[in-house]
mmCIF file of all heavy atoms in Angstrom:
data_model
loop_
_atom_site.group_PDB
_atom_site.id
_atom_site.type_symbol
_atom_site.label_atom_id
_atom_site.label_comp_id
_atom_site.label_asym_id
_atom_site.label_seq_id
_atom_site.Cartn_x
_atom_site.Cartn_y
_atom_site.Cartn_z
ATOM 1 N N LYS A 1 -77.086 41.792 22.435
ATOM 2 C CA LYS A 1 -77.232 42.984 23.266
ATOM 3 C C LYS A 1 -76.802 42.674 24.694
ATOM 4 O O LYS A 1 -77.016 41.571 25.195
ATOM 5 C CB LYS A 1 -78.683 43.463 23.262
ATOM 6 C CG LYS A 1 -79.138 43.953 21.912
ATOM 7 C CD LYS A 1 -80.573 44.432 21.964
ATOM 8 C CE LYS A 1 -80.996 44.914 20.587
ATOM 9 N NZ LYS A 1 -82.389 45.337 20.568
ATOM 10 N N ASN A 2 -76.203 43.646 25.329
ATOM 11 C CA ASN A 2 -75.788 43.565 26.736
ATOM 12 C C ASN A 2 -74.756 42.476 26.999
ATOM 13 O O ASN A 2 -74.716 41.904 28.087
ATOM 14 C CB ASN A 2 -77.002 43.372 27.651
ATOM 15 C CG ASN A 2 -78.021 44.478 27.488
ATOM 16 O OD1 ASN A 2 -77.668 45.653 27.384
ATOM 17 N ND2 ASN A 2 -79.285 44.110 27.436
ATOM 18 N N TRP A 3 -73.954 42.156 26.002
ATOM 19 C CA TRP A 3 -72.884 41.184 26.176
ATOM 20 C C TRP A 3 -71.573 41.921 26.364
ATOM 21 O O TRP A 3 -71.312 42.932 25.699
ATOM 22 C CB TRP A 3 -72.776 40.282 24.951
ATOM 23 C CG TRP A 3 -73.725 39.131 24.934
ATOM 24 C CD1 TRP A 3 -74.918 39.023 25.561
ATOM 25 C CD2 TRP A 3 -73.545 37.912 24.211
ATOM 26 N NE1 TRP A 3 -75.503 37.815 25.283
ATOM 27 C CE2 TRP A 3 -74.673 37.111 24.452
ATOM 28 C CE3 TRP A 3 -72.547 37.431 23.393
ATOM 29 C CZ2 TRP A 3 -74.823 35.854 23.920
ATOM 30 C CZ3 TRP A 3 -72.695 36.171 22.841
ATOM 31 C CH2 TRP A 3 -73.824 35.393 23.112
ATOM 32 N N SER A 4 -70.730 41.391 27.208
ATOM 33 C CA SER A 4 -69.389 41.957 27.370
ATOM 34 C C SER A 4 -68.549 41.625 26.139
ATOM 35 O O SER A 4 -68.860 40.697 25.385
ATOM 36 C CB SER A 4 -68.727 41.381 28.622
ATOM 37 O OG SER A 4 -68.452 40.006 28.425
ATOM 38 N N ALA A 5 -67.476 42.362 25.973
ATOM 39 C CA ALA A 5 -66.565 42.105 24.855
ATOM 40 C C ALA A 5 -65.980 40.694 24.954
ATOM 41 O O ALA A 5 -65.828 40.007 23.940
ATOM 42 C CB ALA A 5 -65.458 43.149 24.820
ATOM 43 N N ALA A 6 -65.687 40.247 26.167
ATOM 44 C CA ALA A 6 -65.114 38.905 26.360
ATOM 45 C C ALA A 6 -66.111 37.823 25.944
ATOM 46 O O ALA A 6 -65.736 36.834 25.303
ATOM 47 C CB ALA A 6 -64.700 38.716 27.811
ATOM 48 N N ARG A 7 -67.380 38.006 26.292
ATOM 49 C CA ARG A 7 -68.388 37.006 25.934
ATOM 50 C C ARG A 7 -68.596 36.985 24.417
ATOM 51 O O ARG A 7 -68.751 35.912 23.821
ATOM 52 C CB ARG A 7 -69.707 37.314 26.648
ATOM 53 C CG ARG A 7 -70.748 36.246 26.428
ATOM 54 C CD ARG A 7 -71.965 36.466 27.278
ATOM 55 N NE ARG A 7 -72.964 35.443 27.001
ATOM 56 C CZ ARG A 7 -74.209 35.470 27.416
ATOM 57 N NH1 ARG A 7 -74.628 36.459 28.159
ATOM 58 N NH2 ARG A 7 -75.047 34.516 27.118
ATOM 59 N N ARG A 8 -68.609 38.146 23.793
ATOM 60 C CA ARG A 8 -68.740 38.201 22.324
ATOM 61 C C ARG A 8 -67.571 37.490 21.656
ATOM 62 O O ARG A 8 -67.750 36.727 20.709
ATOM 63 C CB ARG A 8 -68.797 39.654 21.861
ATOM 64 C CG ARG A 8 -70.133 40.285 21.989
ATOM 65 C CD ARG A 8 -70.158 41.629 21.232
ATOM 66 N NE ARG A 8 -71.458 42.212 21.345
ATOM 67 C CZ ARG A 8 -71.736 43.260 22.114
ATOM 68 N NH1 ARG A 8 -70.787 43.851 22.802
ATOM 69 N NH2 ARG A 8 -72.951 43.721 22.169
ATOM 70 N N LEU A 9 -66.363 37.766 22.156
ATOM 71 C CA LEU A 9 -65.170 37.154 21.574
ATOM 72 C C LEU A 9 -65.212 35.638 21.725
ATOM 73 O O LEU A 9 -64.926 34.904 20.772
ATOM 74 C CB LEU A 9 -63.908 37.724 22.230
ATOM 75 C CG LEU A 9 -62.577 37.134 21.753
ATOM 76 C CD1 LEU A 9 -62.361 37.439 20.269
ATOM 77 C CD2 LEU A 9 -61.421 37.676 22.584
ATOM 78 N N LEU A 10 -65.582 35.156 22.903
ATOM 79 C CA LEU A 10 -65.665 33.716 23.141
ATOM 80 C C LEU A 10 -66.682 33.068 22.205
ATOM 81 O O LEU A 10 -66.404 32.038 21.581
ATOM 82 C CB LEU A 10 -66.035 33.434 24.599
ATOM 83 C CG LEU A 10 -66.225 31.969 24.973
ATOM 84 C CD1 LEU A 10 -64.918 31.203 24.805
ATOM 85 C CD2 LEU A 10 -66.723 31.858 26.407
ATOM 86 N N SER A 11 -67.856 33.667 22.075
ATOM 87 C CA SER A 11 -68.903 33.111 21.225
ATOM 88 C C SER A 11 -68.488 33.105 19.754
ATOM 89 O O SER A 11 -68.645 32.103 19.058
ATOM 90 C CB SER A 11 -70.190 33.916 21.409
ATOM 91 O OG SER A 11 -71.196 33.435 20.554
ATOM 92 N N ARG A 12 -67.972 34.203 19.295
ATOM 93 C CA ARG A 12 -67.555 34.277 17.880
ATOM 94 C C ARG A 12 -66.406 33.316 17.596
ATOM 95 O O ARG A 12 -66.376 32.671 16.543
ATOM 96 C CB ARG A 12 -67.176 35.703 17.517
ATOM 97 C CG ARG A 12 -68.396 36.610 17.392
ATOM 98 C CD ARG A 12 -68.112 37.759 16.456
ATOM 99 N NE ARG A 12 -69.269 38.611 16.319
ATOM 100 C CZ ARG A 12 -70.156 38.510 15.332
ATOM 101 N NH1 ARG A 12 -70.026 37.595 14.415
ATOM 102 N NH2 ARG A 12 -71.181 39.339 15.263
ATOM 103 N N THR A 13 -65.478 33.188 18.536
ATOM 104 C CA THR A 13 -64.358 32.264 18.356
ATOM 105 C C THR A 13 -64.850 30.821 18.306
ATOM 106 O O THR A 13 -64.425 30.047 17.446
ATOM 107 C CB THR A 13 -63.317 32.447 19.483
ATOM 108 O OG1 THR A 13 -62.856 33.801 19.463
ATOM 109 C CG2 THR A 13 -62.150 31.500 19.317
ATOM 110 N N ALA A 14 -65.748 30.464 19.220
ATOM 111 C CA ALA A 14 -66.297 29.098 19.231
ATOM 112 C C ALA A 14 -67.005 28.789 17.916
ATOM 113 O O ALA A 14 -66.848 27.696 17.358
ATOM 114 C CB ALA A 14 -67.257 28.936 20.411
ATOM 115 N N ASN A 15 -67.765 29.734 17.412
ATOM 116 C CA ASN A 15 -68.461 29.523 16.139
ATOM 117 C C ASN A 15 -67.484 29.439 14.970
ATOM 118 O O ASN A 15 -67.660 28.621 14.074
ATOM 119 C CB ASN A 15 -69.500 30.627 15.907
ATOM 120 C CG ASN A 15 -70.792 30.321 16.620
ATOM 121 O OD1 ASN A 15 -71.519 29.424 16.237
ATOM 122 N ND2 ASN A 15 -71.056 31.055 17.687
ATOM 123 N N HIS A 16 -66.458 30.261 14.985
ATOM 124 C CA HIS A 16 -65.445 30.225 13.924
ATOM 125 C C HIS A 16 -64.734 28.862 13.902
ATOM 126 O O HIS A 16 -64.551 28.260 12.842
ATOM 127 C CB HIS A 16 -64.436 31.361 14.130
ATOM 128 C CG HIS A 16 -63.358 31.406 13.106
ATOM 129 N ND1 HIS A 16 -63.576 31.825 11.811
ATOM 130 C CD2 HIS A 16 -62.051 31.059 13.178
ATOM 131 C CE1 HIS A 16 -62.446 31.736 11.131
ATOM 132 N NE2 HIS A 16 -61.508 31.278 11.952
ATOM 133 N N ILE A 17 -64.371 28.386 15.079
ATOM 134 C CA ILE A 17 -63.698 27.085 15.177
ATOM 135 C C ILE A 17 -64.636 25.962 14.720
ATOM 136 O O ILE A 17 -64.233 25.070 13.972
ATOM 137 C CB ILE A 17 -63.189 26.838 16.619
ATOM 138 C CG1 ILE A 17 -62.026 27.796 16.916
ATOM 139 C CG2 ILE A 17 -62.760 25.391 16.816
ATOM 140 C CD1 ILE A 17 -61.618 27.830 18.373
ATOM 141 N N ALA A 18 -65.905 26.017 15.161
ATOM 142 C CA ALA A 18 -66.868 24.978 14.770
ATOM 143 C C ALA A 18 -67.060 24.948 13.252
ATOM 144 O O ALA A 18 -67.107 23.870 12.649
ATOM 145 C CB ALA A 18 -68.212 25.214 15.462
ATOM 146 N N ARG A 19 -67.139 26.119 12.643
ATOM 147 C CA ARG A 19 -67.287 26.158 11.180
ATOM 148 C C ARG A 19 -66.040 25.607 10.498
ATOM 149 O O ARG A 19 -66.130 24.829 9.547
ATOM 150 C CB ARG A 19 -67.558 27.595 10.706
ATOM 151 C CG ARG A 19 -68.981 28.039 10.909
ATOM 152 C CD ARG A 19 -69.308 29.333 10.168
ATOM 153 N NE ARG A 19 -68.377 30.418 10.437
ATOM 154 C CZ ARG A 19 -68.464 31.264 11.451
ATOM 155 N NH1 ARG A 19 -69.468 31.141 12.302
ATOM 156 N NH2 ARG A 19 -67.586 32.228 11.623
ATOM 157 N N GLY A 20 -64.865 26.008 10.994
ATOM 158 C CA GLY A 20 -63.625 25.577 10.357
ATOM 159 C C GLY A 20 -63.334 24.103 10.536
ATOM 160 O O GLY A 20 -63.007 23.395 9.574
ATOM 161 N N VAL A 21 -63.472 23.605 11.752
ATOM 162 C CA VAL A 21 -63.115 22.215 12.055
ATOM 163 C C VAL A 21 -64.172 21.237 11.545
ATOM 164 O O VAL A 21 -63.846 20.181 11.004
ATOM 165 C CB VAL A 21 -62.902 22.029 13.576
ATOM 166 C CG1 VAL A 21 -62.735 20.574 13.949
ATOM 167 C CG2 VAL A 21 -61.700 22.849 14.048
ATOM 168 N N LEU A 22 -65.447 21.597 11.690
ATOM 169 C CA LEU A 22 -66.529 20.669 11.347
ATOM 170 C C LEU A 22 -67.164 20.954 9.988
ATOM 171 O O LEU A 22 -68.036 20.199 9.548
ATOM 172 C CB LEU A 22 -67.614 20.706 12.427
ATOM 173 C CG LEU A 22 -67.161 20.312 13.835
ATOM 174 C CD1 LEU A 22 -68.274 20.535 14.840
ATOM 175 C CD2 LEU A 22 -66.677 18.871 13.863
ATOM 176 N N GLY A 23 -66.782 22.039 9.365
ATOM 177 C CA GLY A 23 -67.359 22.382 8.066
ATOM 178 C C GLY A 23 -68.807 22.814 8.144
ATOM 179 O O GLY A 23 -69.559 22.639 7.181
ATOM 180 N N LEU A 24 -69.186 23.396 9.261
ATOM 181 C CA LEU A 24 -70.574 23.830 9.417
ATOM 182 C C LEU A 24 -70.852 25.038 8.536
ATOM 183 O O LEU A 24 -70.005 25.914 8.379
ATOM 184 C CB LEU A 24 -70.874 24.171 10.881
ATOM 185 C CG LEU A 24 -70.769 23.008 11.869
ATOM 186 C CD1 LEU A 24 -71.048 23.480 13.283
ATOM 187 C CD2 LEU A 24 -71.719 21.896 11.482
ATOM 188 N N LYS A 25 -72.048 25.086 7.997
ATOM 189 C CA LYS A 25 -72.428 26.182 7.100
ATOM 190 C C LYS A 25 -73.158 27.301 7.831
ATOM 191 O O LYS A 25 -73.390 28.357 7.263
ATOM 192 C CB LYS A 25 -73.282 25.637 5.964
ATOM 193 C CG LYS A 25 -72.518 24.673 5.072
ATOM 194 C CD LYS A 25 -73.401 24.126 3.975
ATOM 195 C CE LYS A 25 -72.582 23.277 3.026
ATOM 196 N NZ LYS A 25 -72.684 21.873 3.274
ATOM 197 N N VAL A 26 -73.553 27.083 9.072
ATOM 198 C CA VAL A 26 -74.298 28.096 9.819
ATOM 199 C C VAL A 26 -73.341 29.079 10.488
ATOM 200 O O VAL A 26 -72.178 28.759 10.739
ATOM 201 C CB VAL A 26 -75.231 27.466 10.875
ATOM 202 C CG1 VAL A 26 -76.220 26.514 10.227
ATOM 203 C CG2 VAL A 26 -74.448 26.751 11.957
ATOM 204 N N LYS A 27 -73.849 30.251 10.789
ATOM 205 C CA LYS A 27 -73.044 31.288 11.434
ATOM 206 C C LYS A 27 -73.084 31.205 12.953
ATOM 207 O O LYS A 27 -72.211 31.722 13.622
ATOM 208 C CB LYS A 27 -73.520 32.667 10.978
ATOM 209 C CG LYS A 27 -73.298 32.908 9.506
ATOM 210 C CD LYS A 27 -73.828 34.260 9.087
ATOM 211 C CE LYS A 27 -73.601 34.441 7.593
ATOM 212 N NZ LYS A 27 -74.206 35.669 7.091
ATOM 213 N N ASP A 28 -74.143 30.575 13.502
ATOM 214 C CA ASP A 28 -74.323 30.559 14.952
ATOM 215 C C ASP A 28 -74.636 29.150 15.449
ATOM 216 O O ASP A 28 -75.748 28.857 15.890
ATOM 217 C CB ASP A 28 -75.431 31.535 15.337
ATOM 218 C CG ASP A 28 -75.393 31.936 16.799
ATOM 219 O OD1 ASP A 28 -74.592 31.355 17.562
ATOM 220 O OD2 ASP A 28 -76.161 32.825 17.185
ATOM 221 N N ALA A 29 -73.633 28.286 15.398
ATOM 222 C CA ALA A 29 -73.816 26.884 15.799
ATOM 223 C C ALA A 29 -73.971 26.717 17.308
ATOM 224 O O ALA A 29 -74.461 25.684 17.767
ATOM 225 C CB ALA A 29 -72.635 26.050 15.318
ATOM 226 N N THR A 30 -73.572 27.711 18.101
ATOM 227 C CA THR A 30 -73.652 27.583 19.558
ATOM 228 C C THR A 30 -74.970 28.108 20.124
ATOM 229 O O THR A 30 -75.206 27.987 21.325
ATOM 230 C CB THR A 30 -72.481 28.324 20.235
ATOM 231 O OG1 THR A 30 -72.556 29.714 19.924
ATOM 232 C CG2 THR A 30 -71.144 27.750 19.805
ATOM 233 N N ALA A 31 -75.815 28.676 19.280
ATOM 234 C CA ALA A 31 -77.072 29.255 19.751
ATOM 235 C C ALA A 31 -77.982 28.199 20.357
ATOM 236 O O ALA A 31 -78.107 27.099 19.829
ATOM 237 C CB ALA A 31 -77.788 29.964 18.599
ATOM 238 N N GLY A 32 -78.657 28.563 21.451
ATOM 239 C CA GLY A 32 -79.537 27.627 22.135
ATOM 240 C C GLY A 32 -81.012 27.826 21.865
ATOM 241 O O GLY A 32 -81.833 27.033 22.303
ATOM 242 N N PHE A 33 -81.380 28.890 21.152
ATOM 243 C CA PHE A 33 -82.788 29.151 20.832
ATOM 244 C C PHE A 33 -83.057 28.510 19.486
ATOM 245 O O PHE A 33 -82.602 28.976 18.445
ATOM 246 C CB PHE A 33 -83.011 30.660 20.783
ATOM 247 C CG PHE A 33 -84.453 31.100 20.836
ATOM 248 C CD1 PHE A 33 -85.481 30.256 21.218
ATOM 249 C CD2 PHE A 33 -84.771 32.412 20.525
ATOM 250 C CE1 PHE A 33 -86.790 30.693 21.269
ATOM 251 C CE2 PHE A 33 -86.081 32.864 20.581
ATOM 252 C CZ PHE A 33 -87.085 32.007 20.957
ATOM 253 N N ARG A 34 -83.797 27.390 19.498
ATOM 254 C CA ARG A 34 -83.938 26.555 18.300
ATOM 255 C C ARG A 34 -85.331 25.969 18.181
ATOM 256 O O ARG A 34 -86.017 25.755 19.166
ATOM 257 C CB ARG A 34 -82.945 25.392 18.363
ATOM 258 C CG ARG A 34 -81.515 25.841 18.316
ATOM 259 C CD ARG A 34 -80.559 24.727 18.668
ATOM 260 N NE ARG A 34 -79.208 25.184 18.388
ATOM 261 C CZ ARG A 34 -78.359 24.557 17.603
ATOM 262 N NH1 ARG A 34 -78.679 23.412 17.055
ATOM 263 N NH2 ARG A 34 -77.158 25.051 17.392
#
């Protein structure tokens, strides 16, 4: 919520790359609430 389109794109791209390059199974590897 309340994210700009640019921030959403950056976050989704980073997660897509992390899943592809590292073989991660999670959808939100960049999340900080853990």
Side-chain angles (χ1 to χ4, degrees):
K1 294 181 180 178
N2 303 318
W3 277 25
S4 68
R7 186 172 178 191
R8 279 192 179 106
L9 178 63
L10 177 64
S11 177
R12 287 206 179 264
T13 301
N15 277 289
H16 180 73
I17 290 169
R19 281 193 308 274
V21 172
L22 300 174
L24 296 178
K25 295 179 175 99
V26 302
K27 295 178 181 174
D28 199 353
T30 62
F33 196 15
R34 295 168 171 235

